Every structure is written in structure tokens, then in C-alpha cells.
């Protein structure tokens, strides 16, 4: 037998390594930004075209590379950041694997331009699929520019696997936010296609958070600081009343590196125990500084997970620090010496009755059927046949109580009621059907009804809208605003009307008839959160996510008492749906219990 083992050529090995390092354009963004930071840059520019599918370029004013280093930087395991294994336990740089540039160059067209201060000329290297195409001396600014074009050009399967531009852009924005939050003293800008997404000047953390998440964030922040031998904690949490339904704004940085850690996240949440309601999550921007040798960041190739030596102690310190700060904040205004006066409300506005964000109160027992009669006839369904009929045909009107409470006296009464349904535990609508009994989950069923209604409205484009007497001005961060602009048409299709869009505000002039004015802000915010977090694959499913999000926000909740007419309406509409048996999120909307099943219990 001849020998069969061969060493893989470098470019193949690099392609394989690239699979680990580069999952999507956002991974390139992360690696390039981190290299720029490691190079000591104080100004970093990110340019992206087509969600990174056409171009990701990072330009920095860092220390640059010599001619030899420029060439070497594309070799695998070529790094200036560690020399021996022990260095791994004392890392002060973002990178250390020496894999990023080699991997990226294996699966893209890369142009590297770099110049060191001491040199007259810089180096320009063109490399495609690990092959150097050209190298020359050129005039260049101090620092480095790496342009990554046509990512995955030679791996069509990976390229085809990329998600829609909305999704890939969202990933890029996430990376950009993480990196720029961790380094407020570095100026960052970010251009996508022809528009400027961010232009962040150097400043302190509060300024950076506000620049990224919008001015209204400023008043939400409670500073956190603690110094112990084990850990130094700094940063901010958002006041409990600004907790979010999605985990959007939760940032942990350990030694200035963004990490995810469910255990520490739990520590923060538990500090908010009793202050925020179930299902809501606190926002936080927390920086932990621990000795470099007490963590192991090497357990995950993309390095967002981390292992601590003493997690339990960290947990306890983190929890009590936040509790303490929240307590302080509750009793007295916080003394925050970092506060940037330019972000404070100007004095003459302070005592005016607030024209700012309207106060949002959500009525948990909100019942869209209750508000106005007209709302309940707004369903667009006019189908003649229905699944419902097949379930119901052949039954007589039964003797069923309409209300669950005070059942006893009338349950056995002779009186025939015309109602076919009744409600139990303010949660289920129960009705007798041909084959037995059906239990309908009122909340999940209503979600299904609203979901199909929204989708139908979006496609028929004639959703009913109610004009607001006083248009609402709502402020958003720049990225959220961009997202709203993107989905504006869909929002209009379901009944929202908009006035002017400015840099920070939108003016809502009309809302769908099915929602109330006070819900407007929270519903739009929830919608943005859902779109950002669920990350749709296609524009069709973006619409789908909107419909789901709105259906979930607006469906009558468990715990809401429904009168006979409302129950009936849900039942009828549910079974006119195209897919009545599951909620938009795939949960059962009703169960049936066959008569034989019930009979069995009595066959003794
Ligand atoms: P790592 O960052 O893990 O060392 P990379 O492949 O990302 O590996 O980079 C390889 C080397 O190239 C780095 O160690 C660094 O010396 C050099 N390098 C990369 N990007 C830059 C940059 N923007 N400025 C200066 N040097 C850089
Ligand atoms: Mg690197």
C-alpha cells in the first residue's frame, strides 16, 4: 500500500481555518476593527458596501506595518502579539491567533495599504484567494487600510448561505456597537453604502452610549463602580423602569472585550429582582476588569465566551454592586462626576411641563373588543366556508353558562342559553362541539387572528387608520430610525401614518384602529426589538416578524374577562383563519377532548 497522507497546501488550510474565523461579513468587521485597535489607532473608519458582501474596509491611523510585516501578516499563525504559550495567559491585545488576515485573504480579494511613521513610503499588497497578486511601494497615510472585497467569492456555498442584507447589516452594526462601546476614547465612523450610520467622536463612556443608542438614553443611566481585589467594575445600568422586553441592550465587557456570559447576566438580573416585572430585562453596559491571568478567553474561536477563575465571587460582587447603586439611585439623585453637562436638559427647559417622550402606560387587561364597537367589525375576513363549521355542524345549542364565575346556581338550571361558549379562569374559552369539547386559549387564539389580519392588511393595503388629534413625537437612536425608514411602508400598510422624520425623531400622525394611543411607543419599540433580535431571512419574513410582533403585543391577554359576544367573536374569527390550530409562534391555540374520552371516566 502506498502512503496516502498528504499535507494540505496552505491555501486549503487557510480556507478551512476561515470557516472558523469568518462566518459572515460581520466577522471580518470585528477582526479588522480589533486589529486597528491593537495597532494603537485613535481614529478608525469602517466602510461597508452591500452589507459587507461587496466591501468591508477598515482604515486606521495606527502604527502601520513594515514591508516585511505587511507581507507576513497574511501568513497563518503570523502574529506580533504573542510569542510563547504563556503569553496566552497575559493577553492585552484583542488578537493573538494570527489567523484572521490569513483566513480572510483565503476567501476574498484583499487590498492592504499600510505605512509606518518613520517611513517615507508605504506598502500596497493585493492578495486574492491566498495568492499575492501584486506588491508595490506607494504614498500612503500613516496607519493601515484593509479592504476586503467579494467575500466568499471562491466558496459559492458560503456566499449563497449569507442572509439578506438587512440581517447581515444588523450583525455588522452589532459588532460595530460592541467594539466602539468598549473603546470610547477612540473615534469611530461607519459608512454603509452612501450613508453615514455613525460618526462617534472620542469621549467618555456615557457620551459613547448616548451617541450610539440615542439622546434619550442619557437620563436612563445609573452609574456603577466598584473596586475590589478580584474585579473592578464600571459602567452603567438602565433604571428599572426602562427595562426591555427583549435582551437588546445588554453588554458585558471583560478587559474591554465584549463577552456573553449567562451566569453574570443572571447576577445583573437578580440585582433587579422586585424592581422590574417578569419577562422584562434590564439594559446594562458593564465593564469588568480582572487580572489577565484569571481568565481564559481561548475556549471559543470567536472569543465571545470566557471562563473565569472564580465566577461565584464575581457573581456576588456584581450583584451587590448593582443593588447598591440602584438603591442609592432610589433615595437620592446620583452624583455622577462623569456626567457631560452638554447632554443635560438646558436649565430653561427643566421646569416646563415636559414636552418630551410621552409617558407610556400599558394596560395589561387591554381588550381591543371593549374600546369601540367599530373596532370589532374591522376584520377583513369574508370567507364563506370555514374550518369552524366542520367542527361545529350537527350540534345543538347547548346549555352552557356564559360566565365562569357564579356558575353553581345556573349550571343545572333548566334555562336554555343561546350562548355556545363560556370562559374559564379568564384564560380559556370552552365550547361544546360535535365530537366533544373544545378549549380555546384566548390569548394564543387572538394572536393567530391578529397575525392573519395584519398579513392580510399588509397585502391588501387598505388597513384602517385612526388619525391622532395630537401627533406623537417619538425619539429613536439612529439605527432604530434607519430601521423604521426601512419598514415604513409596511407600517403604513397596517395603519400607521407618519409625519416628518428628523435625525432623532419620528412623528406619528395615525395609528391602526386596533391599538390605543398610549400603546404607540411601546408597540413600535417592541417591533424594532423583535426585528433586531429575530433577524429575518428575507423581506417576506420581515413582514412576518412584524405581524407576529404586533399580534403578540396586541392580543388580549390571559386574565382578561370576556363577555359572551367577545368570546363568540374570537371563536368565529379563529376558525376563519387559514391556520387556526397554532399561534403565530407555533403554539397550540386549542385542544379538543373527545366525548369518548370523557365517557371513559364514567365507565366504572
Ligand atoms: P492577530 O491579530 O491575531 O495577531 P491577524 O491575522 O489579525 O492576527 O493579524 C496578523 C498581524 O498583522 C498582527 O499581529 C499585526 O502585527 C499585523 N496587523 C494586522 N492588522 C494591522 C493593522 N491594522 N495595523 C498594524 N498591524 C496590523
Ligand atoms: Mg487580529
Amino acid at each position: 500500500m502506498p502512503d496516502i497522507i498528504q499535507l494540505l497546501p496552505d491555501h486549503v488550510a487557510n480556507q478551512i481555518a476561515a470557516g472558523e474565523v469568518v462566518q459572515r461579513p460581520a466577522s471580518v468587521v470585528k477582526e479588522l476593527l480589533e486589529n486597528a485597535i491593537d495597532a494603537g489607532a485613535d481614529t478608525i473608519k469602517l466602510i461597508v458596501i452591500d452589507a459587507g458582501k461587496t466591501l468591508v474596509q477598515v482604515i486606521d491611523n495606527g502604527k502601520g506595518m513594515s514591508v516585511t510585516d505587511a507581507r507576513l501578516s497574511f501568513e497563518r499563525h503570523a502574529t506580533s502579539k504573542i510569542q510563547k504559550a504563556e503569553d496566552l495567559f497575559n493577553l492585552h491585545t484583542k488578537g493573538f491567533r494570527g489567523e484572521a488576515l490569513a483566513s480572510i485573504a483565503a476567501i476574498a480579494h484583499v487590498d492592504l495599504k499600510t505605512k509606518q511613521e518613520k517611513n517615507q513610503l508605504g506598502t500596497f499588497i493585493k492578495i486574492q484567494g491566498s495568492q499575492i497578486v501584486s506588491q508595490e511601494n506607494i504614498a500612503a497615510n500613516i496607519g493601515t487600510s484593509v479592504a476586503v472585497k467579494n467575500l466568499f467569492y471562491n466558496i459559492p456555498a458560503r456566499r449563497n448561505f449569507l442572509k439578506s442584507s438587512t440581517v447581515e447589516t444588523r450583525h455588522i452594526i452589532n459588532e460595530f456597537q460592541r467594539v466602539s462601546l468598549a473603546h470610547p476614547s477612540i473615534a469611530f465612523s461607519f459608512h454603509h453604502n452612501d450613508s453615514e450610520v455613525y460618526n462617534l467622536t472620542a469621549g467618555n463612556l456615557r457620551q459613547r452610549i448616548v451617541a450610539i443608542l440615542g439622546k434619550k438614553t442619557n437620563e436612563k443611566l445609573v452609574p456603577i463602580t466598584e473596586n475590589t481585589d478580584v474585579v473592578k467594575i464600571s459602567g452603567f445600568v438602565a433604571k428599572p423602569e426602562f427595562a426591555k422586553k427583549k435582551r437588546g441592550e445588554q453588554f458585558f465587557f471583560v478587559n474591554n472585550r465584549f463577552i456573553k456570559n449567562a451566569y453574570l447576566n443572571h447576577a445583573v438580573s437578580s440585582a433587579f429582582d422586585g424592581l422590574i416585572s417578569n419577562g422584562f430585562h434590564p439594559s446594562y453596559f458593564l465593564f469588568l476588569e480582572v487580572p489577565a491571568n484569571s481568565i481564559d478567553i481561548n475556549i471559543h474561536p470567536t472569543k465571545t465566551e470566557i471562563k473565569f477563575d472564580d465566577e461565584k465571587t464575581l457573581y456576588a460582587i456584581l450583584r451587590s454592586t448593582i443593588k447598591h447603586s440602584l438603591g442609592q439611585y432610589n433615595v437620592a439623585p446620583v452624583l455622577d462626576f462623569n456626567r457631560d453637562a452638554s447632554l443635560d436638559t438646558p436649565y430653561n427647559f427643566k421646569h416646563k411641563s415636559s414636552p418630551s417622550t410621552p409617558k407610556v402606560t400599558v394596560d395589561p387587561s387591554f381588550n381591543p373588543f371593549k374600546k369601540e364597537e367599530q373596532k370589532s367589525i374591522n376584520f377583513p375576513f369574508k370567507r364563506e366556508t370555514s374550518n369552524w363549521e366542520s367542527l361545529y355542524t350537527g350540534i345543538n345549542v347547548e346549555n352552557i353558562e356564559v360566565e365562569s364565575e357564579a356558575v353553581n346556581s345556573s349550571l343545572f338550571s333548566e334555562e336554555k342559553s343561546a350562548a355556545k361558549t363560556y370562559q374559564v379562569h379568564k384564560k380559556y374559552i370552552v365550547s361544546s362541539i360535535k365530537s366533544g369539547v373544545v378549549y380555546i386559549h384566548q390569548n394564543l387564539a387572538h394572536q393567530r387572528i391578529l397575525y392573519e389580519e395584519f398579513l392580510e392588511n399588509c397585502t391588501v393595503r387598505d388597513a384602517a387608520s385612526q388619525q391622532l388629534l395630537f401627533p406623537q413625537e417619538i425619539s429613536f437612536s439612529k439605527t432604530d430610525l434607519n430601521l423604521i425608514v426601512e419598514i415604513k411602508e409596511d407600517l403604513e400598510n397596517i395603519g400607521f401614518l407618519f409625519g416628518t422624520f428628523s435625525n432623532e425623531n419620528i412623528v406619528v400622525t395615525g395609528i391602526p384602529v386596533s391599538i390605543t394611543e398610549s400603546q404607540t411607543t411601546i408597540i413600535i419599540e417592541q417591533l424594532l426589538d423583535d426585528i433586531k433580535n429575530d433577524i429575518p431571512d428575507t423581506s417576506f419574513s420581515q413582514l412576518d416578524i412584524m405581524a407576529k410582533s404586533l399580534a403578540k403585543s396586541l392580543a388580549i391577554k390571559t386574565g382578561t374577562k370576556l363577555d359572551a359576544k367577545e368570546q363568540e367573536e374570537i371563536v368565529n374569527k379563529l376558525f376563519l383563519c387559514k391556520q387556526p390550530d397554532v399561534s403565530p409562534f407555533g403554539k397550540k391555540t386549542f385542544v379538543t377532548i373527545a366525548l369518548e374520552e370523557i365517557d371513559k371516566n364514567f365507565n366504572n
Side-chain angles (χ1 to χ4, degrees), residues 170-272:
R170 170 79 356 231
H171 283 287
I172 290 174
I173 291 173
N174 283 346
E175 287 301 348
F176 180 86
Q177 289 186 343
R178 292 165 182 177
V179 173
S180 57
L181 277 171
H183 299 274
S185 60
I186 299 176
F188 286 92
S189 65
F190 172 14
H191 291 257
H192 186 208
N193 297 335
D194 285 327
S195 62
E196 180 186 272
V197 185
Y198 286 112
N199 190 353
L200 310 172
T201 51
N204 62 25
L205 177 62
R206 182 189 276 274
Q207 291 165 322
R208 180 56 51 93
I209 294 173
V210 169
I212 291 180
L213 295 166
K215 271 204 180 121
K216 60 174 179 172
T217 317
N218 193 34
E219 69 208 53
K220 301 181 186 175
L221 301 176
V222 180
I224 306 287
T225 44
E226 179 62 286
N227 262 323
T228 70
D229 292 343
V230 191
V231 60
K232 266 167 119 174
I233 303 173
S234 62
F236 298 92
V237 297
K239 293 172 189 169
E241 62 263 39
F242 297 107
K244 299 212 148 201
K245 273 202 139 174
K246 284 277 160 81
R247 299 170 176 274
E249 294 166 3
Q250 300 191 324
F251 297 89
F252 267 125
F253 300 92
V254 172
N255 296 357
N256 266 10
R257 188 191 291 279
F258 173 82
I259 59 128
K260 290 180 184 159
N261 187 306
Y263 187 62
L264 293 187
N265 176 62
H266 191 271
V268 181
S269 304
S270 73
F272 278 85

Side-chain angles (χ1 to χ4, degrees), residues 25-37:
S27 332
V28 176
V29 169
K30 173 172 189 273
E31 294 296 337
L32 297 187
L33 289 177
E34 291 190 346
N35 279 348
I37 292 165

Side-chain angles (χ1 to χ4, degrees), residues 35-36 39 60 64-65 73 78-81 95-101 144:
N35 279 348
D60 69 56
M65 283 178 262
S73 68
T79 178
S80 55
K81 299 167 192 173
F96 56 87
R97 299 167 159 255
E99 273 182 333
L101 286 184
T144 303

